[in-house]
């Protein structure tokens, strides 16, 4: 839906990408947003995508190794982060 | 005078909270349920100095939102039960994320002690944490602990007791600034709430305001029901802020709140609290993961690991198992010799020793399997297994977290479906949880293991390990296919997202593994003695009474008399031989004659015992079912044993043992059950395969059925599991028998 900006769901980035979370998809409900925030996936956070397979999406966020389901990862929109 | 203090234990999943709980309370634990919901309530007691501590273990959560039942329960206990103090177990290795919960606990204002756990692990990762500085900045005592070894746990208990005594339940909420936009809104909303005591109902207005902005469904609903007018005003304020955030900042109030909390944490950590010297271990963990969770290599290695576990268990486990078997055989012999013939002897030897021995004989195997599971869990590999299997499980309408219930139930042979079904609590969606609960009992639990071991020893003596491996894979296949079937028919619906933390790899400590394995083995032993012993005795009674009618018993007695009479001339012949000073020693001839007499009598005794069993309550049941069960190849004795297996699967072996040993006269000379069945022409390969399938799939034991009722919240699902499983098992068993015979 947002073809002009470079926001892409976390699940779309290749392994090893360093990305910054921009916002959540509008389809994410309040509880889901709250959950993502509690997990440390707030807008502005830097995340390393370790592997984004068809199942879970593996991330490094705030010092932890976290796996979230693809459905959840699709709701988190991020942009590539250049060092 | 000793005082009593209530201490709540909070923490993230993976923070070692359960280990802290165990270290604090030891064996003084009680597990129950929160009323109306399927969240486990664990309580225990501990002593610290003069104080008696009543410890409530809260469910592991990342936050205190309304996202899950666990989070709701945790905050209800903290706010409504008003513990004297709370202990927050924090994984020192991932401090930043773990402190998120800490901040929320401090915002409630409950007297808090932080347990900085897994400090050894953090040090090995090159992290050094200044606990004193952290305590100053948080405004809460911080105690360094290594719960795995018990280090720092007494100090933690003492700190919690002291804080509880000092604060006397007074709440001191931490105030965090949420930035100019939200702070103003929070203040406005708190003022509205302050004016309505009915709406706050004892909760702190500021806390309620923050939760309202976070979109907390439970709080919003509660406010609506308590004071509709105030709730409407709050919702208007809340909506205004949300709109403002969205328009000007492109974000949401809950994200801003989380951001400020993380900002608060970051500001603490920056003030000389954490120093990272080297990150070798994390890097090492990552390097290991490039192989172990590799898209192709990972699953292959995982299969290899699972297969290796089997080989190891069977090679090492066989030695002590033989010892245990020999011991109980010897014990039965000693008891048999010491007791006079009759019902008491029969009860002790056939009911008690055979029954319990049949189960305890497998304790060494259970110890080994639990040691391996403890190794997998403690090393961090178990979490990777769940991660890798999520894709697979999703295909069958389950969840990556379903792997834990499956593995605990016996996905790696030797679990137990009772804790396995309970482990399904980690699943959020009711549909996936139900599908997991209903299919996990298909796995090879520790109680089915003896049955499978016996059957594979009889029918596949040369490929026991391979046969067992196939048995386990079959159980998985059936469980997954049935799950898929259930999820596309009676419990259909979408899947829920998967969240799991992957801890860095670590080398488990032997002590930690032993404690883990011992706890579970002890549970098994307790169950074996408390459940299996009474059932074993009950079954013995069912197989002994009402006994043979008198006239029939008299018939056997007559036959015995005839035999004795027939041997009388033989004895005379011996006397003659003595007179003739035969070449062979007299004693030998006498022995031979006596032996022949005993043998002849034994045949009659065995026949009588068989007839008696057939006439007993259990026998009549088994015979009545023979017409149907013969389709799958089972005669009445197998039927009795299978029916008994519903009480507890391990009883199957004991019952079959009793059923066959009752037909023997001298327990010392009775060949082991395996030899007995091997020589029985009725026990064909077709029957073996059919029996393995039936045993794998039929109704879960009554303990599991009871647990399913508890966890699913209805007897309907419990009854379903019995009827459906038995029907499926019978259909497959009949098919297998008819094809292979």
């Amino acid at each position: 839906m947002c073809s002009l900006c470079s926001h892409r769901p976390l699940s779309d980035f290749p392994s090893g990408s360093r990305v910054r979370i921009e916002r959540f998809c509008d389809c994410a409900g309040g509880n889901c947003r709250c959950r993502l925030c509690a997990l440390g996936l707030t807008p502005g956070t830097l995340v390393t995508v370790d592997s984004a397979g068809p199942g879970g999406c593996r991330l490094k966020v705030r010092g932890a190794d976290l796996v979230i389901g693809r459905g959840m990862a699709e709701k988190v929109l991020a942009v590539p982060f250049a060092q | 005078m000793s005082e009593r203090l209530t201490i709540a234990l909070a923490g993230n999943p993976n923070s070692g909270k359960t280990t802290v709980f165990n270290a604090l309370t030891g064996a003084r634990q009680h597990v129950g349920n929160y009323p109306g919901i399927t969240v486990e309530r664990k309580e225990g007691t501990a002593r610290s100095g003069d104080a008696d501590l009543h410890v409530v273990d809260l469910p592991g959560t990342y936050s205190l939102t309304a996202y899950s039942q666990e989070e709701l329960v945790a905050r209800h206990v903290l706010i409504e039960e008003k513990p004297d103090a709370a202990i927050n177990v924090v994984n020192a290795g991932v401090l930043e994320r773990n402190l998120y919960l800490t901040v929320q606990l401090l915002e409630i204002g409950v007297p808090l002690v932080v347990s900085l756990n897994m400090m050894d692990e953090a040090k090995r990762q090159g992290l050094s944490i200044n606990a004193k500085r952290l305590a100053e900045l948080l405004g809460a005592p911080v105690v360094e602990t290594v719960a795995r070894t018990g280090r720092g746990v007494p100090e933690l208990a003492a700190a919690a007791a002291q804080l509880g005594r000092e604060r006397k339940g007074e709440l001191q909420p931490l105030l965090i600034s949420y930035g100019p936009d939200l702070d103003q809104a929070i203040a406005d909303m708190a003022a509205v709430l302050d004016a309505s005591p009915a709406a706050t109902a004892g909760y702190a207005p500021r806390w309620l305001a923050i939760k309202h902005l976070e979109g907390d469904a439970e709080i919003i609903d509660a406010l609506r029901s308590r004071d509709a007018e105030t709730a409407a005003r709050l919702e208007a304020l809340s909506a205004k802020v949300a709109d403002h955030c969205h328009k000007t900042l492109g974000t949401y109030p809950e994200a801003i709140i989380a951001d400020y909390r993380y900002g608060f944490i970051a500001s603490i950590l920056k003030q000389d609290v954490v120093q990272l010297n080297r990150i070798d271990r994390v890097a090492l963990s990552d390097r290991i993961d490039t192989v172990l969770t590799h898209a192709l290599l990972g699953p292959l290695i995982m299969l290899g690991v699972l297969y290796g576990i089997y080989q190891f268990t069977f090679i090492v486990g066989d030695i002590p198992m033989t010892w245990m078997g020999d011991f109980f055989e010897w014990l039965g012999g000693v008891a048999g010799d010491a007791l006079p013939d009759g019902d008491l002897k029969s009860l002790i030897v056939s009911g008690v020793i055979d029954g319990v021995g049949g189960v305890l004989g497998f304790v060494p195997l259970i110890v080994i399997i639990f040691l391996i599971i403890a190794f997998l869990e403690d090393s961090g590999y178990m979490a990777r297994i769940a991660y890798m299997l999520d894709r697979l499980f999703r295909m069958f309408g389950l969840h990556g977290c379903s792997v834990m219930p499956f593995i605990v139930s016996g996905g790696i042979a030797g679990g137990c479906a009772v804790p396995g079904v309970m482990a399904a609590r980690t699943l959020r969606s009711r549909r996936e949880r139900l599908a997991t609960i209903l299919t996990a009992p298909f796995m090879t639990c520790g109680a089915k293991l003896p049955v499978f071991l016996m059957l594979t020893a009889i029918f596949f003596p040369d490929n026991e390990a391979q046969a067992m491996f196939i048995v386990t894979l079959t159980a998985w296949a059936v469980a997954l296919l049935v799950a898929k079937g259930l999820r596309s028919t009676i419990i259909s619906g979408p899947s829920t997202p998967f969240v799991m933390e992957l801890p860095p790899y670590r080398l488990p400590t032997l002590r930690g593994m032993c404690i883990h394995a011992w706890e579970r083995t002890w549970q098994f032993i307790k169950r074996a003695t408390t459940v299996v012993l009474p059932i074993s005795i009950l079954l013995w009674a069912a197989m002994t009474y009402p006994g043979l009618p008198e006239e029939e018993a008299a018939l056997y007695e007559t036959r015995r008399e005839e035999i004795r009479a027939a041997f009388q001339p033989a004895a005379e012949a011996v006397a003659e031989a003595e007179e003739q000073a035969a070449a062979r020693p007299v004693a030998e001839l006498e022995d031979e004659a006596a032996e022949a007499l005993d043998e002849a009598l034994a045949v009659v005794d065995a026949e009588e015992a068989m007839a008696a069993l057939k006439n007993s309550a259990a026998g009549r049941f088994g015979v009545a079912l023979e017409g149907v069960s013969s389709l799958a190849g089972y005669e009445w004795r197998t039927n009795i044993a299978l029916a008994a297996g519903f009480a507890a699967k391990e009883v199957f072996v004991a019952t079959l043992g009793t059923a066959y040993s009752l037909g023997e006269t001298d327990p010392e000379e009775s060949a082991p059950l395996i030899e007995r069945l091997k020589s029985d022409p009725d026990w064909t390969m077709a029957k073996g395969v059919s029996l393995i399938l039936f045993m794998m799939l039929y109704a879960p034991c009554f303990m599991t059925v009871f647990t399913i009722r508890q966890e699913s919240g209805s007897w309907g699902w419990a009854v379903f599991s019995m009827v459906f499983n038995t029907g499926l098992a019978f259909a497959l068993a009949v098919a297998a028998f008819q094809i292979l015979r």
Side-chain angles (χ1 to χ4, degrees):
Chain A
M1 58 173 177
C2 190
S3 53
L4 292 176
C5 50
S6 51
H7 295 184
R8 273 193 291 157
L10 268 187
S11 48
D12 280 8
F13 287 93
S15 282
S17 312
R18 183 103 173 119
V19 302
R20 193 179 70 230
I21 297 174
E22 282 296 302
R23 58 188 189 90
F24 302 132
C25 173
D26 293 332
C27 54
N31 273 346
C32 178
R33 289 200 301 258
C34 232
R35 175 68 164 177
L36 289 165
C37 289
L39 291 169
L41 297 166
T42 56
T45 311
L46 296 180
V47 172
T48 307
V49 179
D50 262 357
S51 68
C57 181
R58 190 168 166 181
L59 312 165
K60 277 216 166 45
V61 54
R62 298 181 198 264
D65 215 335
L66 193 72
V67 182
I68 61 172
R70 190 178 167 81
M72 246 183 164
E74 278 170 354
K75 297 192 171 78
V76 182
L77 304 177
V79 290
F81 180 76
Q83 244 117 9
Chain B
M1 195 197 81
S2 84
E3 52 187 332
R4 192 177 147 87
L5 295 165
T6 304
I7 310 288
L9 200 59
N12 281 18
N14 267 324
S15 60
K17 190 171 59 66
T18 306
T19 321
V20 170
F21 180 70
N22 289 341
L24 271 172
T25 62
R28 300 172 300 276
Q29 299 184 1
H30 170 78
V31 181
N33 255 306
Y34 287 95
I37 48 171
T38 56
V39 175
E40 201 176 66
R41 184 183 173 103
K42 261 164 92 182
E43 291 169 79
T45 55
R47 261 196 92 73
S48 175
D50 276 346
D52 273 323
L53 306 182
H54 174 71
V55 187
V56 183
D57 188 19
L58 302 179
T61 59
Y62 292 107
S63 65
L64 296 173
T65 59
Y67 179 76
S68 67
Q69 283 183 342
E70 282 76 8
E71 299 190 355
L72 286 175
V73 160
R75 80 180 189 205
H76 278 197
V77 172
L78 289 166
I79 294 170
E80 280 167 17
E81 295 186 16
K82 297 188 174 61
D84 294 289
I87 291 173
N88 176 205
V89 183
V90 165
N91 179 351
V94 275
L95 197 54
E96 186 183 359
R97 276 166 36 79
N98 274 237
L99 284 179
Y100 191 80
L101 180 67
T102 312
V103 168
Q104 294 192 59
L105 292 166
L106 289 169
E107 283 189 287
I108 290 177
V110 59
L112 192 74
V113 178
V114 174
S115 157
L116 199 54
N117 197 30
M118 305 196 190
M119 273 305 282
D120 53 340
E121 200 54 44
K123 274 181 191 143
R124 262 179 269 148
Q125 284 175 31
L127 282 169
S128 72
I129 298 171
N130 186 340
K132 211 171 137 235
R133 189 94 182 99
L134 181 63
E136 283 168 17
L137 293 166
L138 284 174
V142 174
V143 182
E144 293 185 25
T145 52
V146 182
R148 216 170 273 275
T149 63
R151 211 181 81 204
V153 173
E155 292 84 349
L156 181 66
Q162 201 197 337
L163 190 71
R165 246 177 250 134
E166 284 171 8
R167 289 267 292 268
K168 297 192 171 43
E170 188 205 341
L171 298 182
Q172 293 179 3
L174 168 76
L175 304 183
I176 296 179
S177 165
Y178 288 110
D181 296 318
L182 289 193
D183 275 347
Q184 188 54 49
I186 291 168
D188 290 347
M189 291 169 77
V192 171
L193 279 161
D194 227 4
S196 166
T200 53
Y203 282 63
R206 186 182 152 86
W207 186 80
L208 286 174
I210 295 170
K211 285 286 147 202
H212 204 294
L213 284 176
E214 280 186 292
D216 190 304
E218 198 216 26
I219 297 286
I220 293 172
D221 286 347
L223 287 171
R224 271 183 201 155
S225 67
R226 284 191 211 131
D227 182 346
E229 198 193 322
T230 306
R233 286 177 65 193
L234 288 172
E235 277 163 44
L237 283 168
S238 187
K240 206 177 99 194
V241 179
D243 191 50
H244 176 75
C245 290
H246 200 71
K247 282 200 181 118
T248 60
L249 306 165
T251 181
Y252 323 90
E254 56 265 35
I256 297 177
I257 290 172
D259 258 345
Y260 273 93
R261 283 191 190 130
Y262 273 115
F264 177 79
I265 293 163
S267 73
I268 286 178
L269 296 182
K270 263 183 220 147
Q271 296 182 55
D272 300 329
V273 171
V274 179
Q275 259 159 13
L276 188 60
N277 300 324
R278 297 196 333 269
I279 50 160
D280 285 356
R281 274 181 58 80
V282 173
L284 179 68
S285 198
D286 281 353
R287 276 209 300 280
I288 296 174
D289 262 343
T290 54
V291 180
L292 289 189
T293 59
H294 185 270
L296 284 173
L297 273 178
L300 282 177
I301 294 173
M302 183 174 66
L303 273 181
V305 167
L306 295 179
Y307 187 68
I309 286 167
Y310 271 95
Q311 292 292 350
F312 179 80
T313 309
F314 279 96
I315 291 163
V316 179
D318 197 45
I319 303 161
M321 259 174 73
T322 315
W323 295 342
M324 293 288 275
D326 289 349
F327 170 75
F328 279 101
E329 207 173 304
W330 169 82
L331 193 67
V334 169
D337 285 346
L339 293 164
D341 280 349
D343 281 359
L344 181 69
K345 173 173 167 172
S346 172
L347 167 69
I348 302 273
V349 176
S350 302
V352 180
I353 296 178
D354 281 4
V356 173
V359 176
L360 289 189
F362 291 92
V363 163
L365 203 64
I366 286 158
V367 172
I368 292 173
I369 285 174
F370 282 156
L371 275 175
I372 292 169
I373 293 179
F375 182 86
L376 290 178
E377 279 176 349
D378 292 358
S379 66
Y381 190 58
M382 194 71 112
R384 268 81 179 177
I385 293 182
Y387 160 59
M388 284 188 279
L389 286 175
D390 188 50
R391 300 164 194 200
L392 179 71
F393 277 74
R394 209 155 276 276
M395 285 196 287
F396 296 97
L398 296 168
H399 187 275
C401 283
S402 301
V403 76
M404 275 314 290
F406 275 34
I407 286 183
V408 173
S409 295
I412 295 175
C416 174
V418 173
V421 167
M422 287 178 173
R425 286 173 187 195
T426 45
L427 291 155
R428 299 268 177 264
S429 146
R430 183 175 163 75
R431 288 180 290 267
E432 285 149 18
R433 191 166 63 215
L434 260 179
T436 308
I437 285 173
L438 291 172
T439 49
F442 289 139
M443 295 296 165
T444 311
C445 70
K448 286 185 209 168
L449 202 57
V451 183
F452 291 147
L453 287 175
M454 186 187 82
L455 294 172
T456 50
I458 295 169
F459 299 106
F460 311 99
D462 301 327
N463 310 309
E464 243 184 288
Q466 285 86 341
M468 280 302 297
F469 190 62
I470 291 169
V471 164
T472 308
L473 287 186
T474 310
W476 275 91
V478 174
L480 290 175
L481 288 174
V482 170
K484 180 72 185 167
L486 290 174
R487 288 286 278 117
S488 17
T489 54
I490 45 177
I491 30 182
S492 57
S495 303
T496 37
F498 172 88
V499 172
M500 185 164 220
E501 221 171 310
L502 301 180
Y505 287 107
R506 55 187 164 223
L507 205 59
T509 61
L510 191 62
R511 186 166 180 270
M513 280 168 56
C514 288
I515 290 172
H516 213 104
W518 167 246
E519 275 168 6
R520 296 201 195 177
T521 308
W522 180 235
Q523 272 177 355
F524 177 83
I525 293 173
K526 268 198 293 199
R527 201 176 144 239
T529 41
T530 54
V531 179
V532 175
L533 182 59
I535 288 169
S536 192
I537 290 172
L538 206 73
L539 286 167
W540 166 82
M543 284 189 287
T544 310
Y545 301 105
L548 278 181
E550 258 176 48
E551 55 269 31
E552 248 183 83
L555 222 64
Y556 283 103
E557 195 47 47
T558 321
R559 276 181 60 192
R560 265 192 285 268
E561 286 304 321
E562 281 168 13
I563 290 167
R564 285 200 194 95
F567 270 86
Q568 210 52 43
E572 275 160 26
V574 170
E576 249 170 62
E578 198 174 346
E579 271 166 31
Q580 288 167 7
R584 292 166 70 190
V586 178
E588 204 175 288
L589 273 179
E590 265 179 358
D591 279 355
E592 259 176 39
E595 242 174 62
L597 175 64
D598 280 348
E599 263 173 40
L601 285 175
V603 172
V604 179
D605 286 351
E607 276 174 29
E608 183 182 2
M610 286 262 289
L613 180 60
K614 214 167 177 173
N615 192 50
S616 69
R620 289 172 193 194
F621 177 72
V623 174
L625 280 185
E626 225 170 22
V628 186
S629 70
S630 61
L631 286 174
Y634 313 147
E635 83 314 346
W636 60 276
R637 253 184 295 218
T638 314
N639 289 351
I640 300 175
L642 283 171
F646 170 66
K649 295 287 159 76
E650 59 266 42
V651 175
F652 178 86
V653 176
T655 309
L656 212 56
T658 314
Y660 277 96
S661 80
L662 278 177
E664 314 267 337
T665 35
D666 190 348
E668 259 180 297
E669 278 174 24
S670 71
L673 186 59
I674 290 174
E675 294 306 319
R676 177 75 181 71
L677 297 182
K678 259 187 192 168
S679 58
D680 194 321
D682 202 34
W683 285 72
T684 59
M685 169 88 112
K687 176 173 178 178
V689 174
S690 146
L691 197 53
I692 287 175
L693 277 170
F694 193 79
M695 176 52 64
M696 183 193 294
L697 307 174
Y698 85 117
C701 67
F702 77 88
M703 288 277 287
T704 306
V705 171
F706 180 71
T707 316
I708 291 176
R709 186 251 166 272
Q710 294 295 98
E711 296 300 311
S712 66
S714 92
W715 274 111
W717 288 115
V719 171
F720 174 84
S721 78
M722 289 192 290
V723 176
F724 174 78
N725 291 15
T726 307
L728 177 73
F730 190 67
L732 288 179
V734 169
F737 184 72
Q738 299 299 337
I739 292 167
L740 290 171
R741 61 186 289 193

